[in-house]
Amino acid sequence: MPEQTPAEYIKRHIRTVPDWPASGIQFRDITPLLSSPRVFRVLIDQFVHRYFDLRPSAIAGLDARGFIIGSVLAYELNVGFVPIRKKGKLPFATVEETYELEYGSATVEMHTDAVAPGDRVLLIDDLIATGGTMMAGMRLLERLGATVIEGAAIVDLPELHGSDKLRAAGLAVYTLVSFEGH
């Protein structure tokens, strides 16, 4: 068998759950990546190698799976971690951003003192679908004066055009793997 690239190795460990959370959806489950120490290390190393020389000031992780990847990456890069949470979960003064979902809307927020003007922040999540959550996170960070150096995720679902929308809004996007079909 030929040698696999790290991306191929990672993709092989992402579980597809058909018809969840709704009929016709192919859910890309990253939990198998997290449960295997070897796969998890390969995953984190891909991001560490990409961002080591870019030296972000902080890593901002989107609720909730972005917290897992983002906090470990922040530790490895020796920078702070900023949680961007669903509305109502943070105890201090916050700024919030509402974005549209397929049916309805959602709101995310972060503490007003989480970043400072001039900070260079990497925004990370597990997956980019429609791009709404990452766009909202970018807007929050920019409202507080930070520069979002890139939006990163493990998985891209290109058929939903989220990465295209993010790039059109001026955000550089990096993903490790993509899955056709959603």
Side-chain angles (χ1 to χ4, degrees), residues 23-152:
S23 181
I25 303 291
Q26 298 290 313
F27 186 82
R28 308 306 177 173
D29 179 13
I30 67 154
T31 59
L33 298 175
L34 308 176
S35 65
S36 166
R38 180 182 173 91
V39 181
F40 192 41
R41 179 159 301 280
V42 169
L43 171 69
I44 294 300
D45 284 352
Q46 295 310 296
F47 289 119
V48 168
H49 292 197
R50 179 164 182 89
Y51 297 110
F52 189 82
D53 290 331
L54 290 178
R55 286 288 164 213
S57 308
I59 308 296
L62 291 158
D63 199 340
R65 290 176 296 272
F67 294 178
I68 300 165
I69 306 305
S71 60
V72 175
L73 182 57
Y75 174 81
E76 289 290 328
L77 295 177
N78 197 34
V79 299
F81 176 75
V82 175
I84 299 177
R85 304 242 19 219
K86 294 174 182 144
K87 185 175 174 72
K89 301 291 186 183
L90 291 172
F92 185 66
T94 61
V95 289
E96 66 180 47
E97 184 74 29
T98 299
Y99 60 100
E100 296 305 311
L101 299 168
E102 191 173 353
Y103 300 104
S105 63
T107 302
V108 291
E109 57 188 9
M110 62 187 255
H111 284 144
T112 55
D113 63 353
V115 296
D119 281 352
R120 296 169 23 87
V121 181
L122 170 66
L123 181 58
I124 195 160
D125 204 358
D126 67 322
L127 181 140
I128 299 173
T130 64
T133 310
M134 191 165 283
M135 185 78 74
M138 179 182 80
R139 288 182 181 142
L140 284 174
L141 291 160
E142 289 176 345
R143 276 204 340 236
L144 294 178
T147 298
V148 182
I149 61 171
E150 196 159 65

